Amino acid sequence: MFNEKLTTLHVWLLSTAAFLSGGAAFVFLFHPEYSEGPYANILALGLLFTFIIILNWLKVPRHNRLQKISFAVVILTGMPSFFELIDGNGFHVFFESLYATVKLFFLNLDTTEVPFSLEIARWFAVLFILSAVLNKIYNITTETFKSRLIGIVGNHYVICGLNEAAKELALDLRKDHKKVIVIEKDHQNEFIGVLRRNGAVVIEGDFLDYRTLEKANVINCRHLLMMTKNDTLNIEALIKTTSIFKQRKTFTTRKTRCCIHIVDPKFHKVIEEFEKEINNHSKTKNSLDLEIFNLYETTAKVLFRHHPLYKHKAKGEAVHLLIVGFGKTGQHILLQAARLSHFMDGKKLHVTIIDKEADYKIKSFRKRYKFIDRVCTMKVITKDVETITDLTELRLEETKPITYIAVSLSSDHIDFINGLFFWEQYHTIPVAIHMERDVNIAEWVDQNVKQFKTMYRFGDLQNIASEDVIINHRLDELAEEIHDYYCDTNEGGGPSWEELSLFHKNSNRAQADHIETKLNELNFHKKRRDKIDPQKDEIVDEKEYHEALEGVMEQLAKSEHARWCAFHFTNNWDTKQTIENKNDAKDNGRKLHSALVQWEELAAVEDLLENTNYRDGNRKTVKNLYSLLKAKGYVVCRGKAG
């Protein structure tokens, strides 16, 4: 962005350049008799300064410095030389000199009189051309060599598609010196140079081409990420990649985690069927691990991870979430809130939505998430938020007081203006404002955090498109431990983590995401053992944890069951109404489960099934939380998370 690149030094240099070139032009225009001598050099110097500043803004790579220097020398020595040789005055001389200087880059010199300064200019023009050719050869050979070397070693990251999110993820991986290969078809993509300067390999080619994928050695990569904004294109890339794995001649114990960006939930069914095909093929079953993600959902997850819904929730008070703007981000904020807002008090989440197209959007939303109304209550206000001057007319708190506001409209500027408006009305409760790119406003909010202590910004791609968020090894470690505990305590055991479907892996991840909410209910929080500060953190031992559960175990178990139901309902699972035999608890193909009922109804369901106690399973989940965290390097600390 222009504002990011325009430093104070650039301002001073540009001012100097403008003054020199502008002053010289003024002299040429009104005093042509001064067209010779130092004024010509001043003009050339001004043009040189301006050119160098523009190159700096464009972030010319370091290995292009020879081109910059040779170009500058040609301009600095060529134009003054031609000023002396060309007859005339004023702007005529200037443009003729400029034209003659430019022709030097085409190895064309019209004059037979060649002073020493012009001799320097024409040889530096040759040097410029040679350096440009050598630089192109360097780029091609270096990228090829790097990709071949990384491919031989393996254990690298391959990113298909280069957009702003992909760039941020690649840069984040490079901070930890991870090996990164990015495949991008557009040779003019503005992020290619940035990534190459930071050590990433960029293959300029089509990731739907087998040869390009083989060049990136996807078979030996650690992670493969399809990150374009086009769901269909990402699925095509997945199909092409899978075919390469199927054709491999040797087996390997190395497993590639394939993360595919899918926004439209209608494609989830396609991915689930494709996952079955992968798991049924001998060469892909143990070599590909499929995962779906989308940046809108990720944005909502990071928002509630940093600023949880319970942070300002009063005891016994229901969460009332106000969503201003119901686009893709706003919709995923609702979904994530519906999956997380389950507390001991059993109060149901209430959501108010304000959007000028709310009626249409909520209708479309309910069509995609058929059972959302089982998880939360909703009030919809169809109104352009920018026309609102008095919030009292909307009767927002007619049923429940607002406890959290999330603003996500059409742009950072509009989000900030309207977020500020709501903050002025509700400055004691959290107001989260979606700000993806406007660095200046975001920095201003951060610098005035004391004044705007309940105003938060979210959605910054540097925080969203990172390894910790998109790949998130630690969440998977907890999720896998949750599944292992289930298998150990379940009489019939269960499949391994690798054998689980994508949906069931996500179910375990959702349970891991809710751990902090449960701990908060007990006035505890989790922290990695290596991040403990002995002076500030008071560690809770296992005995204290179980003592804290006394009297509240049943309420926490109920909240865990409600959370589990919400996850299934928001993934379009429904209650299985008939149980034909004692092993007929669920139907994965039709997305039906007999336990998707109220807590009080579980006893009747358990009586119809063999060796099944859903209620006790939820109690064990809560009870086992301490040992689960301990096994993965976490400790439980007293007090709420900072």
Side-chain angles (χ1 to χ4, degrees), residues 346-451:
K347 296 290 180 67
K348 203 172 186 179
L349 170 70
H350 182 67
V351 181
T352 298
I353 298 164
I354 303 178
D355 192 288
K356 62 182 178 182
E357 298 176 337
D359 287 338
Y360 162 75
K361 289 179 179 178
I362 200 67
K363 184 178 180 180
S364 173
F365 183 78
R366 282 190 168 116
K367 186 177 180 180
R368 281 178 282 126
Y369 303 97
K370 297 182 288 185
F371 308 117
I372 187 66
D373 291 299
R374 298 184 189 179
V375 182
C376 62
T377 59
M378 287 189 285
K379 177 181 179 180
V380 179
I381 300 174
T382 303
K383 194 173 183 66
D384 187 346
V385 68
E386 295 192 62
T387 65
I388 299 173
T389 56
D390 183 9
L391 289 176
T392 56
E393 64 185 56
L394 300 180
R395 301 165 69 183
L396 296 175
E397 300 185 290
E398 185 177 19
T399 54
K400 298 177 180 68
I402 294 172
T403 59
Y404 202 107
I405 300 174
V407 181
S408 179
L409 295 159
S410 56
S411 71
D412 289 358
H413 173 73
I414 292 173
D415 287 347
F416 178 71
I417 294 299
N418 287 284
L420 195 59
F421 170 72
F422 280 94
W423 178 84
E424 288 171 348
Q425 307 295 319
Y426 298 98
H427 58 272
T428 59
I429 63 173
V431 178
I433 304 173
H434 186 248
M435 298 179 68
E436 188 174 312
R437 293 184 178 85
D438 205 324
V439 178
N440 293 329
I441 296 178
E443 288 178 351
W444 181 81
V445 172
D446 290 344
Q447 290 167 4
N448 293 274
V449 67
K450 290 184 178 179
Q451 182 180 351

Side-chain angles (χ1 to χ4, degrees), residues 118-152:
L118 191 55
E119 193 75 42
I120 293 174
R122 71 172 180 170
W123 279 107
F124 268 91
V126 173
L127 182 61
F128 174 84
I129 295 168
L130 286 174
S131 64
V133 173
L134 290 173
N135 182 61
K136 188 64 179 177
I137 295 172
Y138 168 84
N139 283 337
I140 295 171
T141 56
T142 301
E143 293 301 300
T144 302
F145 175 75
K146 280 184 178 180
S147 63
R148 292 280 170 84
L149 181 62
I150 290 174
I152 292 170

Side-chain angles (χ1 to χ4, degrees), residues 45 79 86 97 456 608:
L45 189 62
M79 285 194 68
I86 297 173
S97 301
Y456 311 118
L608 297 173

Side-chain angles (χ1 to χ4, degrees), residues 371-543:
F371 308 117
I372 187 66
D373 291 299
R374 298 184 189 179
V375 182
C376 62
T377 59
M378 287 189 285
K379 177 181 179 180
V380 179
I381 300 174
T382 303
K383 194 173 183 66
D384 187 346
V385 68
E386 295 192 62
T387 65
I388 299 173
T389 56
D390 183 9
L391 289 176
T392 56
E393 64 185 56
L394 300 180
R395 301 165 69 183
L396 296 175
E397 300 185 290
E398 185 177 19
T399 54
K400 298 177 180 68
I402 294 172
T403 59
Y404 202 107
I405 300 174
V407 181
S408 179
L409 295 159
S410 56
S411 71
D412 289 358
H413 173 73
I414 292 173
D415 287 347
F416 178 71
I417 294 299
N418 287 284
L420 195 59
F421 170 72
F422 280 94
W423 178 84
E424 288 171 348
Q425 307 295 319
Y426 298 98
H427 58 272
T428 59
I429 63 173
V431 178
I433 304 173
H434 186 248
M435 298 179 68
E436 188 174 312
R437 293 184 178 85
D438 205 324
V439 178
N440 293 329
I441 296 178
E443 288 178 351
W444 181 81
V445 172
D446 290 344
Q447 290 167 4
N448 293 274
V449 67
K450 290 184 178 179
Q451 182 180 351
F452 302 102
K453 59 183 180 181
T454 55
M455 182 188 292
Y456 311 118
R457 63 182 180 93
F458 72 100
D460 180 2
L461 278 176
Q462 287 186 341
N463 294 323
I464 303 302
S466 67
E467 182 182 17
D468 285 345
V469 174
I470 292 179
I471 298 172
N472 205 345
H473 297 291
R474 289 178 179 172
L475 183 68
D476 268 19
E477 288 174 0
L478 287 173
E480 191 170 346
E481 185 71 17
I482 287 169
H483 176 66
D484 289 345
Y485 174 77
Y486 168 80
C487 293
D488 292 341
T489 56
N490 186 34
E491 189 173 317
S496 67
W497 174 261
E498 289 75 18
E499 293 172 320
L500 282 180
S501 69
L502 181 59
F503 171 80
H504 288 98
K505 284 181 181 177
N506 285 336
S507 180
N508 286 293
R509 289 173 181 134
Q511 183 176 325
D513 252 342
H514 197 254
I515 288 175
E516 200 68 69
T517 302
K518 292 184 180 72
L519 291 176
N520 181 78
E521 294 285 82
L522 300 170
N523 197 33
F524 297 151
H525 67 278
K526 76 177 192 295
K527 202 166 188 178
R528 289 197 64 81
R529 186 174 292 281
D530 55 0
K531 301 292 183 182
I532 288 294
D533 183 347
Q535 304 298 321
K536 295 180 180 178
D537 298 315
E538 185 181 350
I539 298 177
V540 175
D541 62 30
E542 193 163 6
K543 181 182 177 183

Side-chain angles (χ1 to χ4, degrees), residues 255-274:
K255 194 157 191 174
T256 297
R257 185 174 179 185
C258 182
C259 302
I260 178 169
H261 187 263
I262 298 292
V263 176
D264 193 334
K266 287 183 289 188
F267 284 108
H268 286 196
K269 183 65 177 176
V270 177
I271 300 296
E272 288 169 5
E273 291 301 317
F274 198 74

